[in-house]
Amino acid sequence: MRLVFLTLAWVVGILYAASDPIGALPLWIAAALLAAVLALLLRRFELLVICAAILGILRFSVQPTSSEIAAFNDSGFVILEGVIAAEPDQRDSGVQLRLAVDTVLRRGETKSINGMVLVIAPSHFEGAFGSRIRAAGVLETPSSGDLFSYSDYLARADIFSLMPRAQVALLAQPTESSFRASLITYKQDAEIAIARHLPEPHASLLSGILLGDDKGLSPEVRDSFAETGAAHVIAISGFNMAILGGFVSRLLHRVRINAGFQAAISVTVIMVYALFVGASPGVMRAAFMTSLVFVAEALRRRTYQPASLAFAVLVLSALDPLILWDIGFQLSIFAVLGLALFAKPFAAFHDRLFSGLPRPLKPTAALLRESVAVSLAALTFTLPLSALHFGRLSPAVLIVNALIVPVQPAVMLFGGLGLLFAAVVPALAAIPLWLAMLPLLWTTGVVRLFAQLPDQAVYPAPGWIAGAFAVIIAIAVVRAARPEWIEAVKQKSPLRTTLYGLLVASGLLFTLAALVWVSRPDGLLHLWFFDFAGSTVLIQTPQGAHILIDGGAYPSRLLTAVGDRLPFYDRSIDLQFITQPDAALISALPAFYERYQPELTILNGDLGGDDALQPLAERLDQWLRRQAISGEVFQTTDGVALRVVSAASQPLDLNSSDAARDAQALVLEARYQGVNVLFTGQLSIEGQRALMTSGALSFASILQIPRGASSILAEGFAAAVSPSIAVAQNDTLRRSRSPVQDALTGFPAVYRTDQVGTIHVYTDGSTIWIEGEHTPTPS
């Protein structure tokens, strides 16, 4: 317990130094030396506690609060040169680069300098870790708000400068391959393997669980996990590390490696894995704590978890005292504390609760025992801490975690085997990854279901939360629980183990076959008008052909939207239409084409001339494509006809004005028996007038309102189309009042994606059904 008290004193010293100026450093140094000397002479532990607090004060006082390069913040245009010091972070809005700057050019003067800068490069930038680049733009001081301080967040990585909207040029690729660069390459290959075989959002969810990289998750899915208290599943945690270390240790035990080598190899694998997924504070804490368990096991000593945890906090906060303010680090510490104090009692309670089960069901209960106990133990401390930070607590969090946490070992097992096969026997990687998708489907299904329920969050007062902490800690002290992280697996006979394994494998394969069966086409024509900016529509014909119109500007949202609706094994788009060369409508497609291949792409203009669309042009060069021709018809074998109502009559490219592109936007008509749908995309008023005079316009059952709700219709256009249903596509994140509703007065229904979310239309050729993602009530 002495180490616990010393660590608490150290933390108090850091917190005091952060909240109050500490005055003259020499006085504090002298005080620390005096306390240490007196403690040694008088053998009084209290003096060591005082010494630890003073050392905490001194450690925080030497923490950098700025950098050399930060002197150029908010002072105008600069040019930086340096090396990318971390794996580039691809986001929908651009690529985040952590740049180790060594040279700055400002007002014609070049200067050698040191410091880290977060550079936001264009989405098409293709630099790698270790690449030397030049970045031009304005350095800004990161913002600091009441609810979230971006400056404090970046300061934990020694970043005090931000360069948004930077112009970036690649100067040189990495000259030599370092160990970390090799790990990043392996990680990227693993992400590609996952993306090749799994649809979104399951691919990004598995990448988050196995690799600590969840950037591909769409905002909708990420918010669902946060709202239901399941966000910890996505991040690497002590639970993940324990499973990894336990698997390695057990494998080495089977080949009769002695305990010392088992511990050494297990710790090495865990630390390499921690570096592999980014070495964030939470990951390093989990790796450090799990490693202590294996070392103690090798020494034949029982680990005293609170002391081990205190040692981890002491070491990690000595390296970087700012991690004490990191919410992720705090949640990790309290999760491990919950595991240390309550995992064994919860496991014993589980055994008593299910002791009366019939013998055939006991293996299943034993399989769930550890994961359920770990989940409840971790939540014991993290729930009050989450409520303290976010001021809200969802009652569904216990139910959601009880339903999804027990299946996470299966996710890691099958996902890990899939990545192993991808590296050794790529042809077999799909099988375990598809099996991993079963628990992933369960996880996302449960989270999304509870996220859609009405908000029933409670908002407890801080005093009640502090009281909850006091009660929990009091119970822990009374019980004095000291559990082990990895429980020995009971020995079973080979025959029984084989039969049980065959039973489980048969169940998984049956479930996978059922999933393939239910994802078959249902004989109806389906259309999804997506709820992100642009005019993106996905069409599924009665026999399962897929047609995509445009794609929007947000890769994660497009991948999630399509992945939710296509069968998980289907990675092709039969027909792709690009209505005009506009980055806001199609810049998400290059990332989309890394997962899905278009059989034929119909263009309406040239994509060359814009750096933002260059990756798309290069992608399309690999596949069959051609320009649209007005009047041509694409007929599917199941009776769906797509007619090009209007295409550009003269060359259209990025040099064309916005008005020219919008006036000649591609207009399509889909017809299935007695139902026809008119897709007008971003067609301007001038284009609508030209379409009416051309004679190519006909009546439509469903009208996609041109330009969403951003402009009014041309006079007479609505009457010329005479739709029964009108759909206006606008981003749900940017709600607006529609100026077209007056023009459509008198028509039965107007559906808007910014009000009801993604709009799903399906028909048998005579009857039309329509529903919004959030509510089916039209405007």
Side-chain angles (χ1 to χ4, degrees), residues 22 101 136 265 284 293 341 449 489 628 631 732 771:
I22 62 174
V101 179
I265 296 174
M284 293 310 299
V293 173
L341 298 177
L449 174 64
V489 179
T732 52
E771 57 189 30

Side-chain angles (χ1 to χ4, degrees), residues 385-396:
L385 183 65
S386 298
L388 185 64
H389 270 282
F390 302 113
R392 68 190 301 274
L393 185 62
S394 172

Side-chain angles (χ1 to χ4, degrees), residues 117-156:
V117 174
L118 182 64
V119 175
I120 311 299
S123 299
H124 59 271
F125 178 74
E126 297 184 352
F129 169 75
S131 298
R132 185 168 183 81
I133 66 171
R134 177 184 294 118
V138 177
L139 286 178
E140 298 179 2
T141 301
S143 60
S144 179
D146 294 334
L147 298 179
F148 175 72
S149 175
Y150 196 40
S151 60
D152 291 345
Y153 170 77
L154 293 179
R156 297 181 198 120

